[in-house]
Amino acid sequence: METKASEFQIFVKPVGPACNLSCGYCYYLDKKELLAVSGRGIMTDKLLELYLKQHIEASDDNLISFSWHGGEPLLAGIEFYEKVIKIQQRLKPDGKVIINGIQTNGTLLDDSWCRFLSENAFSVGISIDGPASLHNRNRRTKDGHDTFHKAIEGLTLLQMYGLNPEILCVVSSVNEKYPLEVYRFFRKLGAEYLTFLPLVEPNKNTPSGISGNSVNSLQFGLFLSEIFDEWLENDIGKIKVQIFEETARVAFSQEHTLCIFKLECGRVPVVEHNGDFFSCDHYVTKEFRLGNIEENKVSYFLKGEKQKEFGRAKLSSLPAYCIDCSVRSMCNGECPKNRIILTAEGQPGLNYLCEGYKYFFSHCRPFIDALAAEWKNHNNS
């Protein structure tokens, strides 16, 4: 069955790659040259309205979702998002609901921001990599200062205004050996939603082919497994960990919602501050620039053959090792950007994180199988 055009999530970048920080692992700061960013580089009012209109028109579902990303999207200013809300309400079709999500480093949050986000029911993601000693290693200002305390102040303010932000934690060589310290720290902060993002930075100048900052594949599996055991014993039903939620979907024969674990991808493209449309946040390159929304509509790019080819390539490029894998349904080869190593037989296209994912998915498989059996018995009773 063909995927409906409405089944998409666009990462829109109102300030492009602009950011007030200079994190050690950021993959987006160097996009300024590609995007020819000059001046403040903020999406114009004209382009904003055009994008919102096209996005709404492309959405067939009753729930229309917008995802504001960066760089640091708060740099656009509250006034920008006030315009967003006004235009959305003016363009919103009868009977439909519009929701907004925003991803921030948290350091610019203050009472005004948190009041605005709360009053307009934004879902918020905030980037924190663990306690100060771990977080500050990579997440620093442009002049090298720590950012931990500002990020925690931002999180606390969000919570004071009734928002329960999702914490996004990048797992790198810095924090990979401290899974329980990281997880318990987030639990102490009152986190209800957690996402762990593995850092994989290709580097042809190293023997391993990746940077020293990257997470070790097996260690990532161990990291997830230790947290899973702690979560299963103490926090199931209290804290939602994105990868655990995705893994559980297999027990109920449900399709993955997270793009990296879907059979095919291509439904999470990018619209940049200048209107350029790219196939994916990790493929903002000349090769994967499909055009500009001032030339063609969002729906045109979503339904276009180039984007479909991009999505299908995820499945068609899987090496035989993955096709026959016992945990393939949980992983599906993960994100194509990480398929940078060879299989034991020398076939290209194996995911760098394969060893770690295989360890983790095998570790939690007994729980998933028990969950599936219970669900099956319930449905047959």
Side-chain angles (χ1 to χ4, degrees):
M1 183 176 73
E2 184 174 327
T3 305
K4 293 195 304 181
S6 60
E7 297 172 352
F8 63 86
Q9 178 188 12
I10 293 175
F11 283 5
V12 57
K13 314 264 188 171
V15 295
C19 189
N20 61 315
L21 304 187
S22 185
C23 298
Y25 48 59
C26 184
Y27 61 89
Y28 216 76
L29 285 176
D30 63 356
K31 304 299 180 184
K32 290 183 179 180
E33 185 176 341
L34 169 69
L35 299 166
V37 177
S38 60
R40 293 186 66 199
I42 297 177
M43 182 178 281
T44 65
D45 292 354
K46 178 183 176 183
L47 191 59
L48 173 63
E49 176 144 4
L50 181 65
Y51 165 67
L52 294 174
K53 182 175 184 293
Q54 291 183 8
H55 185 119
I56 290 171
E57 288 175 347
S59 302
D60 294 331
D61 295 339
N62 289 330
L63 185 65
I64 305 174
S65 302
F66 289 87
S67 299
W68 304 93
H69 281 248
E72 174 48 58
L74 297 193
L75 288 174
I78 291 178
E79 298 81 6
F80 177 87
Y81 294 100
E82 288 174 338
K83 295 174 192 172
V84 167
I85 298 299
K86 289 179 181 178
I87 298 171
Q88 286 176 341
Q89 292 306 309
R90 174 161 49 83
L91 297 177
K92 182 177 72 70
D94 291 341
K96 302 220 173 183
V97 175
I98 291 178
I99 59 174
N100 289 281
I102 196 165
Q103 176 61 37
T104 177
N105 59 47
T107 62
L108 299 177
L109 290 168
D110 56 18
D111 282 290
S112 297
W113 266 115
C114 292
R115 185 182 303 111
F116 169 81
L117 295 171
S118 178
E119 288 175 350
N120 292 283
F122 272 68
S123 60
V124 182
I126 186 168
S127 297
I128 303 174
D129 287 353
S133 60
L134 301 176
H135 175 94
N136 286 329
R137 292 279 295 279
N138 276 312
R139 304 193 63 83
R140 306 182 73 81
T141 64
K142 295 181 185 299
D143 54 1
H145 289 105
D146 296 347
T147 65
F148 176 79
H149 292 295
K150 290 296 294 181
I152 295 301
E153 285 176 11
L155 172 66
T156 303
L157 268 177
L158 289 169
Q159 292 171 331
M160 285 175 57
Y161 278 88
L163 294 170
N164 294 309
E166 177 181 17
I167 294 179
L168 277 72
C169 171
V170 175
V171 185
S172 68
S173 59
V174 169
N175 56 6
E176 64 182 14
K177 294 182 180 178
Y178 306 97
L180 295 185
E181 182 178 345
V182 169
Y183 179 71
R184 289 168 181 170
F185 171 73
F186 290 149
R187 184 171 59 199
K188 189 175 180 180
L189 288 177
E192 296 181 14
Y193 306 96
L194 293 175
T195 291
F196 295 105
L197 303 174
L199 178 64
V200 181
E201 293 179 325
N203 187 336
K204 295 179 180 179
N205 297 321
T206 64
S208 63
I210 62 162
S211 75
N213 207 17
S214 298
V215 68
N216 175 274
S217 178
L218 179 57
Q219 191 63 50
F220 182 57
L222 294 167
F223 180 96
L224 293 175
S225 297
E226 285 196 47
I227 293 175
F228 179 80
D229 291 345
E230 173 94 355
W231 171 82
L232 194 60
E233 182 175 351
N234 299 301
D235 302 313
I236 187 169
K238 301 175 186 176
I239 299 176
K240 290 190 175 182
V241 181
Q242 186 186 57
I243 191 170
F244 301 166
E245 297 283 315
E246 283 295 317
T247 304
R249 296 183 72 83
V250 176
F252 307 115
S253 300
Q254 296 173 332
E255 182 183 353
H256 286 294
T257 59
L258 191 59
C259 64
I260 61 172
F261 295 139
K262 284 179 174 286
L263 273 171
E264 296 182 358
C265 57
R267 309 308 292 175
V268 190
V270 163
V271 170
E272 258 293 344
H273 73 291
N274 61 359
D276 283 351
F277 189 105
F278 293 89
S279 292
C280 171
D281 189 41
H282 290 284
Y283 289 84
V284 176
T285 63
K286 289 182 179 179
E287 181 183 357
F288 294 98
R289 179 188 179 275
L290 303 188
N292 190 286
I293 64 169
E294 291 186 297
E295 303 162 357
N296 286 294
K297 293 183 177 182
V298 163
S299 58
Y300 170 86
F301 295 121
L302 287 170
K303 295 178 181 178
E305 191 56 33
K306 282 189 176 181
Q307 189 68 356
K308 289 180 180 178
E309 287 177 5
F310 175 82
R312 289 193 295 261
K314 179 181 181 181
L315 177 59
S316 63
S317 62
L318 271 181
Y321 179 84
C322 295
I323 298 295
D324 300 326
C325 180
S326 60
V327 295
R328 178 189 161 188
S329 62
M330 297 180 177
C331 174
N332 287 312
E334 209 244 5
C335 185
K337 77 177 180 67
N338 294 329
R339 297 180 184 178
I340 57 176
I341 63 175
L342 303 176
T343 67
E345 294 75 27
Q347 186 179 4
L350 184 63
N351 197 299
Y352 165 77
L353 296 167
C354 175
E355 184 180 15
Y357 275 125
K358 199 164 188 177
Y359 182 94
F360 166 66
F361 290 132
S362 298
H363 178 82
C364 66
R365 194 63 184 256
F367 171 76
I368 299 303
D369 289 344
L371 200 61
E374 183 178 338
W375 179 70
K376 184 177 181 180
N377 290 335
H378 176 76
N379 286 343
N380 291 337
S381 60

